[in-house]
Each structure stands twice: as C-alpha cells, then as structure tokens.
C-alpha cells in the first residue's frame, strides 16, 4: 500500500463528514436567528440567576400594604403588586424559579422517559407490553385537569410535590417516542454484533444505543424545557402552580385576571408576560435549529 | 371495516374500567363528602352520621364503587355542594356554552389552517411561505394565557371592539335576532384566540405533506394527463395531504367538550373549563369528579374516533 503524505492526510480529515457537536456548531453559524436566540437565552438566564443571587427573597416578599400598586418609579422600577412587593424583584426571582422548575421537570421526565423507552424498545415482548400498557393508560388521562386536582388535594403542598406531580404525568410521551426509535435502532447490525460478542444488555442499551439517539434527546429536551416553563407558569397563573409564597412568573401574570390590573396596571403583568414569551420563542427556535442539525436532509450548511 | 371498529371498541372497555377506578379512588381522596356542605354549628353529628350510613358511605369500598358506577352510567353524579343542583344539570348548562365556542373556534381553525398549509406548501420558500412558517412558529411557542391576555388587553379593552366578559348580555330575550348577535359578539374574540393557538399542528402537517407530495408519481401522472395546476393541488394533492389532518380530527372533538381552561378563565366565558376552575376554588368536589370522568371518557372516545377516521380515509392501516 502506498504511503499517505501529510497533505493527503489533511485532505482526508477535511473531507470527513462533520459529526456530533461540530454539526450543531456549523448549523448555528449558518443561522443568524438561532445565534441571536441563543444569546437572548443566555442574557435572560444570567439576569435571572445573578439578579436573584443579589436580591434578598425574604425582604422582597414582605407585605407593604401602604405601597399597594405603586406606579413604576426610581425606587420600584416596575412598580409594586397588590401586596406592595417590588414587581421587578419578583420578576427576577420568579424567572429563576420558573426556569429551575421547568429544568428539573425536563431532566426528571427525560431520565425516566428515555430509560423506559429504551428498555421497552430493546427487550420487546412482555416487558414492552407491560410498560406500553402503562404508558397508554397515562396518555388517555386528562392530564391538565388531573394535575390541578392533585395540586388542590395534596396536603403540605410545596415545590417538591409540584415537580413530582408534573413529572409523574409528562414522562409518558417521551417513553413512547424513544421506544419507537429504539425499536428501529435495535435492529441495526452494530447491536446484533455487540450481542454476539457477549456485551451486557445494560451496556448495549445505555452505552451503545443511547449515544445514537443523543441528537434526538437533545432536541426533545430543549423543546420540552420551553413547554415545561409554559406549563408551570400557566398553572401558577391559574393559582394551581407554585405555593403563593414562592414568586413565579405565572403568579405575576395571574394578577391580570383582575380586569382593573389588566387595563390600568400593566406594569404588574406585562413584563412577566413578555419575559415568558421571549424565553419560549428563543428556546423553541434553538430547539428547532438543533432538530434541523440532527436531520441531514434539513441542514442549512 | 366493521371488524376494525368493533375490535377497537372492545379494546376501549378495560381502559374505561381502569379510568373509572382511578377517578373513584381520586374522589375518595378528596376531602369531604356530599354532607360536608350541610354541616353548620347547629348540626347534630349523629344526624350526619345517619345520613352517611343511609347513603352507603360506610359500605366497603367495592360496594361503593359498584354503586357509584351504576349511578354514573345513568348520569347521576350527585348534587353540587355549592350550587345545590344536580351535578349533571350544572355541567349540561356550561357544556352548551363550551360547544358553541369550540365549534366556532374549530371552523375558524380550519378556515385559517387549510389555505395557509396548502398555499405555503405549494409556493415553498416564497414570501407567503416564510410568513406562514414564522406565524406557525410563534403560534406553537406562545403560551395560551399570554396570547389570551394580550388579545383581551388590545381588542377587548384598548380598542373595545368586543365585550370582555360572559357569554351574553343579561336581559336580552331568548330567541330574538338580537340575542344571537349578542352571543356571537361574546364568542368571537375567545374563538379567534383559540383558533390562532390551534392552527400550528394542522398547518405544519399540511405544508410538509404538500412539499413531499410534489414530486410523487401520481402527481406527475395527473400533470402529464393535462390536469390544470390548480386542480392538481386542490384535488389530487389535497386528498392525500389531508390524511394526517383527518386523523387529528377525533382529538378536536374531545376539545369541543373540554374547552380551554385558560381561554374561558381569561375571557370570563362560562363554559366547562371555567366551571372546573370555579369548582376547584369553591371546593365543589362532586362537580370536579364528574368533570374529570366525563373528560376522561371524552378523551378515550376522541382517540377512538381518530383511529376510525384514519381507517376510513386510509384503508392501508386497518387492523387485520
């Protein structure tokens, strides 16, 4: 065999198909909106986290009834709410809470959903049947209603129980998605080869099959993260989300259920609404860009 | 065909049984029973206990479950603690409002989504297509309560084009033309909001299907036969592209009954969604239980309908 010269070597490495993280970087470089969305997300996240590290939550949540619904001023940048609390401070801390809760629900549902999906799809047979019947059952439940009912009837309700209730319902969609992907992935030669070599099932599932689903997992995680922030703020908006002493974007927007606040005191609800809106739009866009980079047919570059 | 439907219906029976057990357990976990609302400082605790005994609340759980199911099948969900009316009547009153609103919203949804999806797919990458893609992305990402509030703020209060509360003005006699015009005015803003939120899925499906169909053999055949380009889209491609849209239609029917909690709460529209939230705030547990059960069954029926519709329009997927 002929020697490969260094220049040829370089050419070879340059012509290789971009893989993994490089694909994502390439895709984002081609997509200006995706880059700006990413920047917006990072800016909003830093405002929420750095801001709430500075703000003293206990001081913030103190009721100051004399200052009820004060107009925006140099002291209260976005005015105050019904209890005289500073809306700007609540917005920052609320944003941090909503983001953290959305994030933990996403992580929990992903771990459970992806594991159940991969196990179900990999083993098939009875395991698959049992797991999928459970999934089918949860899928047909009127979830939104049941979550609200659970929130009302659970004694000693706190953030932890809220995250648990939400996660208990929202893992099923993921389980079904990743089961079908594992079904098609499990038929590929590398899995059979690995089985023949005597690799353990667990190692095949989580060290070999799962990395091949990683781009799908990342895309799904991102779009889900946005959806979960939306669900949390929505439930808090209705008054069935976070406990009332924990600031949330939803609680702030919820003040607008009173038509006087909606019309005359826009400083209470509008900033939080816009924050949620911009956050959702940016995360969704980044999610879609990630999805495109995972699908070779849709890639921009 | 009938075999498929029968098989699918039989599959639903165990689901309904498990659902009812689940909801019965949930109802038992809720605080209070039908007599809690009667207790006043002057009530004799022994009398309440007697009433409970009579109503069978001290029976073993399986007996209670069977009795509960028997009553529920007849449409008897007990009495609302708050409204002192049969639960079935409370729900029926509100269901009428929700069905009006959702039907109108559904018509609007398809009136927007079908032309948008078809034209965006046909003129891919045109200015209109880009507009539709952007619109779709926003309507998918915007949280329903944020859009509702903004719509309410802009069109209900600032521009004052629409009434901002309820489903009709009190005092207009039933049946007159004025009555229906007034009802329509109350429905239109929540319906538009609901439609704007609901179009995303349909547009997405249609657009992708149309783009994928463009180069297929049957389309080429139609063109080479000399079918006008417009007809190729409206007749040939539309029929095939509407398959996935048809399959979601069953779920839309569930939405007809369930309504939207957010939209009804924000627009103050007295439908099922608002009834649910009001009942929770008033701790009216018999209404809550009935609503969850009805909505659960509606979801099941919606799934069933989707499967049946899909097997009618697409014979390939019928179960053998």
């Amino acid at each position: 065999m002929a020697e490969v010269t260094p220049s040829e070597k370089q050419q070879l490495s340059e012509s290789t198909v971009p893989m993994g993280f490089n694909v994502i970087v390439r895709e984002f470089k081609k997509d200006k909106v995706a880059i700006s969305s990413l920047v917006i997300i990072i800016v909003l996240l830093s405002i929420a986290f750095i801001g709430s590290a500075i703000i003293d939550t206990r001081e913030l949540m103190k009721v100051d009834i004399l200052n009820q619904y004060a107009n925006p001023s140099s002291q209260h940048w976005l005015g105050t709410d019904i209890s005289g609390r500073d809306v700007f401070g609540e917005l920052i801390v609320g944003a941090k809470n909503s983001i953290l809760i959305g994030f933990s629900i996403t992580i929990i549902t992903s771990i459970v959903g992806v594991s159940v999906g991969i196990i179900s799809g990999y083993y098939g047979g009875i395991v698959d049947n049992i797991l999928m019947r459970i999934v089918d059952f949860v899928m047909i439940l009127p979830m939104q209603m049941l979550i609200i009912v659970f929130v009302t009837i659970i004694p000693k309700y706190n953030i932890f129980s809220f995250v648990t209730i939400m996660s208990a319902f929202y893992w099923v969609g993921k389980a079904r998605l990743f089961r079908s992907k594992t079904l098609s992935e499990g038929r590929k030669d590398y899995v059979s080869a690995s089985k023949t070599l005597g690799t353990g099932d667990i190692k095949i599932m989580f060290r070999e099959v799962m990395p091949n689903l990683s781009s799908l997992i990342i895309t799904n995680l991102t779009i889900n993260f946005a959806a979960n922030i939306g669900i949390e703020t929505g439930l808090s908006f209705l008054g069935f989300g976070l406990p009332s002493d924990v600031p949330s974007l939803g609680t702030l927007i919820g003040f607008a259920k009173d038509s006087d606040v909606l019309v005359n005191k826009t400083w209470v609800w509008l900033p939080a609404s816009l924050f949620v809106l911009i956050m959702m739009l940016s995360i969704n866009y980044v999610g879609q860009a990630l999805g495109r980079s995972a699908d070779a047919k849709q890639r921009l570059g | 065909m009938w075999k498929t439907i029968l098989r699918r219906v039989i599959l639903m029976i165990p689901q309904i049984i498990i659902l009812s057990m689940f909801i019965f357990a949930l109802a038992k976990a809720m605080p209070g029973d039908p007599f809690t609302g009667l207790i006043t400082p002057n009530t004799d605790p022994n009398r309440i206990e007697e009433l409970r005994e009579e109503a069978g609340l001290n029976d073993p759980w399986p007996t209670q479950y069977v009795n509960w199911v028997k009553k529920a099948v007849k449409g008897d969900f007990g009495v609302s603690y708050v409204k002192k009316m049969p639960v079935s009547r409370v729900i029926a009153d509100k269901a009428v409002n929700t069905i009006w609103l959702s039907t109108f919203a559904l018509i609007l949804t398809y009136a927007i989504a079908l032309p948008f999806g078809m034209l965006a797919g046909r003129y891919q990458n045109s200015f209109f297509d880009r507009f539709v893609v952007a619109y779709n992305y926003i309507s998918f990402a915007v949280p329903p309560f944020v859009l509702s509030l903004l719509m309410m703020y802009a069109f209900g209060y600032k521009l004052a084009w629409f009434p901002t509360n309820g489903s009709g003005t009190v005092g207009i006699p039933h049946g007159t033309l004025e009555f229906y015009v007034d009802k329509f005015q109350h429905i239109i803003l929540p319906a538009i909001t609901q439609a704007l939120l609901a179009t995303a899925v349909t547009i997405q499906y249609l657009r992708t299907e149309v783009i994928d169909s463009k180069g297929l053999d049957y389309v080429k055949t139609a063109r080479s036969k000399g079918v006008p380009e417009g007809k190729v889209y409206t007749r040939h491609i539309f029929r095939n592209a509407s398959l996935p849209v048809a399959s979601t239609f069953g779920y839309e029917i569930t939405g007809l009954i369930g309504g939207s909690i957010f939209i009804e709460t924000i627009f103050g529209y007295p439908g099922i969604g608002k009834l649910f939230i009001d009942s929770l705030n008033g701790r009216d547990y018999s209404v809550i239980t009935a609503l969850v059960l009805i909505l659960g069954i509606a979801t099941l029926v919606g799934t069933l309908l989707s499967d049946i519709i899909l097997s009618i329009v697409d014979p390939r997927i019928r179960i053998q």
Side-chain angles (χ1 to χ4, degrees):
Chain A
M1 237 166 73
E3 281 280 310
V4 181
T5 60
S7 69
E8 272 177 330
K9 240 181 199 167
Q10 201 186 354
Q11 265 182 350
L12 271 176
S13 65
E14 268 175 5
S15 67
T16 48
V17 185
M19 296 285 278
F21 192 70
N22 286 333
V23 180
I24 298 175
V25 175
R26 272 169 66 120
E27 179 72 22
F28 273 70
K29 272 186 189 157
K30 287 270 158 62
D31 194 341
K32 294 236 168 59
V33 187
I35 292 260
S36 9
S37 304
L38 201 62
V39 172
I40 292 173
I41 295 173
I42 293 168
V43 169
L44 291 182
L45 283 180
S46 359
I47 292 177
F49 282 93
I50 298 172
S52 45
I54 301 169
I55 293 168
D56 180 1
T57 313
R58 203 171 294 164
E59 191 62 35
L60 173 74
M61 295 310 279
K62 259 191 194 154
V63 177
D64 179 9
I65 210 75
L66 291 175
N67 250 329
Q68 194 181 14
Y69 288 132
N71 278 313
S73 60
S74 57
Q75 200 193 348
H76 298 289
W77 289 354
L78 292 172
T80 60
D81 69 359
I82 190 166
S83 317
R85 297 168 185 148
D86 182 46
V87 171
F88 182 74
E90 277 193 288
L91 177 73
I92 303 276
V93 179
K96 184 207 75 177
N97 286 337
S98 299
I99 291 166
L100 273 184
I101 285 166
F103 190 71
S104 23
I105 295 168
T106 312
I107 295 297
I108 296 172
T109 52
S110 295
I111 292 175
V112 178
V114 171
S115 319
V116 170
I118 289 182
I119 291 172
S120 193
Y122 178 79
Y123 283 111
I126 302 173
V127 180
D128 183 36
N129 246 317
I130 294 172
L131 288 174
M132 281 306 116
R133 287 300 81 74
I134 298 172
V135 167
D136 282 347
F137 175 66
V138 182
M139 290 283 267
I140 54 150
L141 293 173
M143 290 189 201
Q144 198 183 26
M145 278 188 154
L146 282 176
I147 290 175
I148 296 178
V149 171
F150 275 117
V151 167
T152 7
I153 63 174
I154 276 186
K156 276 201 221 149
Y157 175 71
N158 53 30
I159 295 187
F160 181 72
S161 33
F162 180 71
V163 173
T164 317
I165 297 169
M166 295 266 297
S167 310
F169 285 99
Y170 284 106
W171 62 272
V172 287
K174 284 185 200 248
R176 187 175 268 188
L177 173 69
F178 287 103
R179 169 189 173 262
S180 66
K181 292 291 163 193
T182 312
L183 274 180
S184 58
E185 198 67 28
R187 285 204 206 95
K188 291 192 177 160
D189 288 342
Y190 75 91
V191 176
S192 325
S194 200
K195 270 186 198 163
T196 321
L197 284 173
T199 318
D201 284 340
I202 296 192
K203 196 173 175 196
I204 298 180
M205 280 190 277
F206 294 102
R207 297 291 295 280
E208 291 168 8
V209 172
M210 201 164 83
N212 280 299
L213 301 175
S214 58
S215 56
L216 184 69
I217 295 176
I218 293 171
T219 312
N220 183 276
L221 225 118
T222 317
I223 291 183
N224 237 269
F225 177 45
N228 287 333
I229 293 180
I231 293 167
E232 185 276 317
T233 44
L235 289 172
S236 300
F237 166 83
L238 290 171
F240 301 101
L242 297 186
S244 54
D245 55 338
V246 182
S248 155
L249 291 177
T251 322
L252 274 180
I253 305 173
F255 285 116
K257 280 184 286 186
D258 177 358
S259 56
D260 177 47
V261 176
L262 179 67
V263 184
N264 302 319
K265 302 179 173 75
T266 39
W267 64 83
V268 182
W269 63 274
L270 197 59
S273 301
L274 294 178
F275 193 101
V276 174
L277 186 63
I278 294 170
M279 195 78 195
M280 301 279 268
L281 288 175
S282 321
I283 300 178
N284 265 303
Y285 198 90
V286 170
Q288 283 178 12
L290 286 173
R292 276 198 296 274
S293 60
D295 182 355
K297 268 190 277 178
Q298 293 184 31
R299 261 175 227 163
L300 297 174
Chain B
M1 183 71 234
W2 288 109
K3 250 187 188 167
T4 316
I5 295 177
L6 189 71
R7 204 179 280 249
R8 191 57 191 70
V9 172
I10 291 171
L11 226 94
M12 216 174 89
I13 293 171
Q15 288 180 324
I16 290 188
I17 294 173
I18 301 175
L19 179 76
S20 68
M21 283 178 175
F22 183 74
I23 289 167
F24 176 75
L26 198 68
K28 285 285 137 192
M30 287 179 193
D33 61 44
F35 305 109
T36 318
L38 299 176
I39 300 174
T40 63
N42 303 323
T43 323
D44 177 11
N46 293 328
R47 176 71 195 128
I48 294 289
E49 199 42 51
E50 269 171 42
L51 281 172
R52 282 198 178 127
E53 183 66 45
E54 254 171 58
L57 289 174
N58 294 336
D59 290 352
W61 278 40
T63 328
Q64 281 194 46
Y65 170 70
V66 172
N67 288 333
W68 178 76
V69 170
K70 273 185 195 159
K71 280 186 174 172
V73 170
K74 286 186 226 150
D76 176 6
F77 296 105
V79 178
S80 154
Y81 318 150
V82 175
K83 293 186 172 131
K84 313 290 179 209
M85 278 201 311
V87 171
S88 43
R89 244 188 64 205
V90 176
I91 293 179
D93 282 354
K94 306 290 176 185
V96 175
N97 286 334
T98 291
I99 291 172
W100 271 112
L101 171 60
S102 324
T103 312
F104 194 64
L106 193 62
I107 295 170
L108 270 178
T109 308
Y110 284 112
I112 300 171
L114 295 184
F116 268 35
M118 287 302 293
L119 292 173
R122 179 171 173 181
Y123 303 107
Q124 195 192 354
N125 293 329
S126 67
F127 177 74
F128 180 73
D129 180 42
R130 280 187 199 154
F131 163 75
V132 170
V133 170
Y135 158 82
N136 223 29
Y137 152 67
I138 293 171
S139 114
F140 176 76
V142 62
F145 56 100
V146 171
L147 182 70
S148 306
L149 280 177
L150 294 175
M151 295 285 277
M152 182 80 160
Y153 179 71
F155 299 107
Y157 286 104
K158 285 289 139 174
L159 297 169
W161 287 353
F162 303 100
T164 50
N165 201 7
S167 66
T169 313
V170 187
I172 299 176
H174 254 262
T176 55
L177 180 68
E178 206 193 341
F179 175 78
Y180 289 110
V181 171
D182 178 66
K183 232 181 160 50
F184 180 70
Q185 280 177 337
H186 279 86
I187 282 181
I188 194 156
L189 188 59
I192 292 175
T193 313
Q194 202 168 323
L196 288 179
L197 290 164
T199 47
V201 181
T202 311
I203 294 181
Q204 180 74 37
Y205 273 142
L206 261 185
R207 181 176 172 274
T208 327
E209 283 287 314
V210 170
I211 292 172
D212 287 350
S213 306
K214 274 180 182 171
L216 293 184
D217 285 345
Y218 78 93
V219 179
K220 283 184 195 156
T221 314
R223 281 207 189 104
S224 55
K225 279 195 303 185
V227 179
E229 192 63 16
K231 260 196 179 152
V232 170
Y233 280 95
T234 51
R235 292 284 163 80
H236 298 252
I237 292 183
F238 178 70
R239 283 211 184 156
N240 282 288
S242 58
L243 285 186
V245 177
S247 71
T248 58
F249 191 72
Y251 299 108
E252 307 282 1
I253 291 174
T254 313
L256 281 187
I257 309 161
S260 160
I261 291 177
F262 288 113
I263 286 175
E264 289 184 4
T265 313
I266 292 169
F267 291 95
Y269 189 84
I272 292 289
K274 188 159 187 299
L275 174 68
F276 180 67
I277 296 299
D278 290 347
S279 308
L280 278 164
N281 287 327
R283 300 284 185 266
D284 200 349
Y285 291 111
S286 49
V287 176
I288 299 169
T289 314
L291 280 177
V292 177
L293 182 66
I294 292 174
L295 258 291
I297 292 176
T299 317
L300 273 175
V301 174
T303 323
L304 172 76
L305 280 177
S306 282
D307 285 0
I308 293 178
I309 293 173
L310 199 60
S311 70
I312 291 172
V313 294
D314 190 353
R316 283 169 303 181
I317 59 135
R318 282 178 203 166
I319 313 166
Q320 291 310 307

